[in-house]
Every structure is written in C-alpha cells, then in structure tokens.
Amino acid sequence: MLSSQSLSITNESKQDAEYNKICEEYKNMMKTLPKGNGWRVQHLYNYNGFWLDSETLKTNMILNTYFKTQPTDIFLASFMKTGTTWLKALMFSIINRHRYAFSDHYLHHHGPQSTFPFIDSEVYPVNDFTHISAPRLFATHYARDILPLCMTSCKFVYICRDPKDVLISKWIFMSKLRSKDLTPLLLGEAFELFCQGVSEYGPYWQHVLSYWRASLESPDKILFMKYEDIKEQPKVELKKLAAFLGNPFTLEEVEKGVVEEIVRLCSFENLSKLEVNKKGIERFGKLVEVEKRDFFRKGEIGDWRNYLSKEMKDRIDAIFDDKLKGSGLVLTSRD
Ligand code: PAP
C-alpha cells in the first residue's frame, strides 16, 4: 500500500510528466505556426486564429490543463488597453463595498492591478487560488475562442473601446515595453499591423466578436460593456454591472450616494493621482515589468485625433465596419 507521502510523490511526478508533455507539444507546435511582427517582442504566433507572443501562448496551454474554475468565478475579459484597469477597480469596489470605507479604501493603498489576478502571465505550477473567497475574480486578455474550456461556463464581464483609441493607447504602451534589441515601432508600422489584425491577442475585431456573439447567446453569462458608455453614463453602467455581479445596489445605497462614491473612487482623476499608482513596478510572469504609472495615461475618449490622419481614421473605421457588419455591434465613433 502507498503511504500518503509516496502518493503525493507519485502525483507530483505524474504532474511533471504532464507538464513535460505540454512543453514538448508547445515546442513542436511553435515550429509550425504562422509568424508575424510583435509590438513588444520580435514575433507573434498565430494560434487558432489569434496572435500571441510565445509566453502567453505557453501560458494558454498550461492553463488549459491546470487551471481549475469554481462555478461562482467571474472573469473580466478585455483586449489590451480597452479599460481593464478601470474595470478591475470598479468590479472589486462593487463586490467589496461593505468591506472598505470609501475614506480609507484598499485602492488608496494598492493599485487596481493587485485587486485580482491576471491569469495570462501564470507559469507552471499554476496557483490554485483557493485562498480567495467566492466570488473569485480573474482577469484575462484571451479571446473567447481560445479560453481554457473550463472557463467558458463561468460569468464574464467584457469591456471594449473604439479601435482608434485602442491603437494609440497600445502603441504608446507597447513602445515603452518594447525590447531594446529591436528598432522602435513607428506609428505607421503599428497602424499597418493593427489593420492587418497582427497585434498581441488580436485581431481586435475577432476578439470583440468572440465575446459579442457569446453575449448574445448567453446574456445572463456575459455582460458586454463599452469604455465610452461608462465614461458617458457611469451611474447607469455601474448599476448594470453590480446587478450582473449578483450585488445590485439597494435603494438605500443609491439614496446614500454609494454609486457616486464608487464612480469617484475609480475615476481616472482619482486613481492616477494616488501615490501608489505613480511609483513602482508591476510584474507579469518572469519577463514583463511595467511602471505602474503607465497604466494611467490620459483616460480620454478620442485622443486618436492627436495622432491619426483623416486617411488613417477612415481606413480603420472601414475595416471595423466591414468586419462587424451584420453583427449588430458598432465600435467606431462617427465624428
Ligand atoms: P492593459 O491592457 O494594460 O490592462 P487597460 O487598463 O485595459 O490596459 O487600458 C489602459 C487605458 O485605460 C489607458 O488609456 P489611454 O492610453 O488612452 O489613456 C488608461 O489611461 C485608461 N485608464 C486607466 N485607468 C482608467 C480609469 N480609471 N478611467 C478611465 N480610463 C482609465
């Protein structure tokens, strides 16, 4: 009979053998995948229709095998630079509104990044996250079509944004992280790559559509939000979000101004001036380090006007109108 110690050793070696198999599959697959130009690193790989760098591709395979969901888990999904930081702060503040006073809140001392885990930079052995109480919140940039299967039965909040603002925000952010061994990525090059869909986690239109279609099929499971809507009518959007998270605001809370408190606490103006968001570094996996202040740039609608020509604007709008045609979704601003 096996002792509990030898049982756990047997389990560990089984896990390691499984992990070695994933590494082998990953190495073989990388040789066959189409390659494109990366924004941060040299190459992206087209994995089931989506462009990923080698690290996030490997993590996707690891999560597929090792990540264990709970039925009450809620995921925040987003393409890069569409409002992840903002939504992290909002979701966390809504769920934990009875836990922290607004005058001395968790967010005053910790950045939105640390409110809940971003799973795309997990490495083996994957955290089991069993220490987090339900409902556990997680964030991911993976498109719906390449999510680890176990996640697709959980609830999702998805946030999207005008592609022109996403392009500019992403180009500026990635330029800061870009490997010093590479030549700088010019805006014209980033624009061409974005229009071809070659951009980490992209094509952006395919990313949005993957969640949009799923939200039409299962509106109770996926809440589809727009950055611009939250900017323009924050209280309406927050009430929707709270109800979806299973924590609707009571009439008493509304009358006491709790919704306004959360809007104010999580606003760009408030978060970007907090010391905790101005200094220090956020680590993603083993390789990526981001200055915390780089998550807060302008936080505006329409900053693309300071960067894109009329021709560039028209081309992006035409591409997205075409790709989203018939879906019922419009992402591009008209003016
Ligand atoms: P990520 O993909 O690296 O997680 P993400 O948080 O999705 O980035 O997007 C960053 C954008 O949201 C930045 O936009 P900008 O470059 O056009 O300025 C950032 O400024 C903006 N942002 C961050 N926090 C907030 C907030 N509280 N309210 C509104 N916008 C915000």
Side-chain angles (χ1 to χ4, degrees), residues 80-86 141 161 169 173 227 231 266-268 271 295-299:
M80 289 182 71
K81 314 322 285 181
T82 56
T84 323
T85 307
W86 194 10
H141 284 328
R161 187 180 186 189
S169 182
F173 182 79
Y227 183 96
K231 272 271 175 199
C266 301
S267 67
F268 181 88
L271 292 181
F295 288 106
F296 303 91
R297 193 181 64 90
K298 283 197 178 169

Side-chain angles (χ1 to χ4, degrees), residues 246-282:
N247 271 268
F249 293 110
T250 61
L251 196 58
E252 195 190 342
E253 284 180 309
V254 173
E255 281 169 5
K256 271 171 65 186
V258 172
V259 188
E260 284 89 344
E261 284 282 13
I262 296 179
V263 169
R264 194 201 48 76
L265 173 70
C266 301
S267 67
F268 181 88
E269 293 66 32
N270 186 53
L271 292 181
S272 61
K273 72 172 173 10
L274 294 176
E275 259 333 277
V276 66
N277 294 323
K278 286 204 258 184
K279 278 195 217 131
I281 290 222
E282 202 68 54

